[in-house]
Amino acid sequence: MKNNLRRKIHTFLQSEEGKTGVKAPLALTVATGSFLLTEIMFTPPVSASVGCTLVCDAGEYCLVWCTAWNSAGDCISSNSVCVPS
């Protein structure tokens, strides 16, 4: 039974339906991975203390994040908070 199942799987993968069925999820995975890698490389991270308008106590740092973006992808409005380190 095990050999029969292996033979059926092998036959399916060699068929046109099998090749298409395997390539579609693989292509989707590669495209998704490429998109996520691009997002990581080109999205500005949340910054600590750059552009902070607060004075934090000792043992704290200022966390700044963007709350609004313009059409060019630049931050036009930000918010900040003091966070314990």
Side-chain angles (χ1 to χ4, degrees), residues 2-85:
K2 191 183 231 183
N3 287 338
N4 189 23
L5 182 59
R6 285 184 182 172
R7 190 176 321 119
K8 286 183 179 183
I9 291 172
H10 179 72
T11 304
F12 172 74
L13 291 176
Q14 297 302 317
S15 70
E16 190 64 34
E17 294 85 11
K19 290 178 183 176
T20 304
V22 170
K23 285 182 184 177
L26 182 61
L28 183 61
T29 301
V30 169
T32 303
S34 298
F35 173 74
L36 291 175
L37 183 60
T38 303
E39 284 294 309
I40 290 169
M41 290 172 54
F42 295 109
T43 302
V46 172
S47 60
S49 75
V50 176
C52 185
T53 58
L54 302 174
V55 177
C56 298
D57 295 333
E60 293 182 333
Y61 67 92
C62 185
L63 181 67
V64 180
W65 66 94
C66 188
T67 56
W69 303 84
N70 65 11
S71 60
D74 300 322
C75 184
I76 58 172
S77 177
S78 63
N79 200 356
S80 57
V81 65
C82 290
V83 179
S85 53

